[in-house]
Amino acid sequence: MNVREGFRFSTRFRVRYSEIDGQKIVFNARYLDYADVALTEFWRWAELDALGAEWSDAEFNVVRSTVQYKQPFRFDDMVEAFVRVDRVGTSSMTLRIDLCHADTRDLHAEVEIVSVHLDTAERRSVPLPDQVRARLTALNG
């Protein structure tokens, strides 16, 4: 895997035929799918399950997602997704995913996702447990 300054984690996957549009480039909505795939692998890598119920029972809702498109991916490109925790707040976290071409290392898209820790019964944000906040903060360094 490649190294990208400011990121300690990356994962790779290939663009599938079903992900391209009539212009033979990756359909714009797929970039958020790619971010989701990368985040799934990031959480596995981060081993936050070791925190127990404070993490495994935590619920988060996405409150904002932004994608800045730089250049399109095409069928069969190998994508390398770099992930980091950019910010940890009282009840939220901001995640950054850079989607790069694995061979050329060119940046194709920047994705930012803000998620809020949620009390599902009350449907309102609640502070992150101290242990979770500390672990998330450590991931961003």
Side-chain angles (χ1 to χ4, degrees), residues 6-9 42-43 45-48 51 83-89 93 95 128-141:
F7 293 86
R8 296 170 41 204
F9 172 82
F42 177 72
W43 295 130
W45 169 83
E47 298 179 336
L48 291 169
L51 296 175
V83 181
R84 71 177 181 224
V85 177
D86 258 0
R87 181 184 172 281
V88 180
M93 63 180 156
L95 301 157
L128 291 162
D130 291 339
Q131 193 175 10
V132 170
R133 182 181 295 102
R135 191 72 176 272
L136 290 170
T137 301
L139 288 173
N140 109 10

Side-chain angles (χ1 to χ4, degrees), residues 15-115:
V15 173
R16 299 172 299 181
Y17 181 79
S18 63
E19 297 165 344
I20 62 172
D21 62 17
Q23 298 172 350
K24 299 183 180 170
I25 59 175
V26 171
F27 181 64
N28 59 36
R30 293 293 186 168
Y31 288 80
L32 287 174
D33 289 337
Y34 290 170
D36 190 57
V37 168
L39 286 172
T40 298
E41 296 305 319
F42 177 72
W43 295 130
R44 184 175 289 119
W45 169 83
E47 298 179 336
L48 291 169
D49 284 339
L51 296 175
E54 281 192 341
W55 176 255
S56 61
D57 292 346
E59 293 291 336
F60 291 89
N61 277 8
V62 172
V63 295
R64 186 178 73 225
S65 297
T66 58
V67 181
Q68 185 171 4
Y69 301 97
K70 303 290 189 179
Q71 57 183 310
F73 284 110
R74 299 180 186 286
F75 170 67
D76 212 34
D77 280 349
M78 183 62 76
V79 178
E80 186 159 11
F82 295 86
V83 181
R84 71 177 181 224
V85 177
D86 258 0
R87 181 184 172 281
V88 180
T90 301
S91 62
S92 67
M93 63 180 156
T94 302
L95 301 157
R96 166 78 177 266
I97 304 97
D98 280 5
L99 299 172
C100 300
H101 194 287
D103 298 324
T104 67
R105 299 185 180 195
D106 291 341
L107 178 63
H108 284 240
E110 297 172 339
V111 181
E112 182 182 84
I113 297 175
V114 178
S115 297

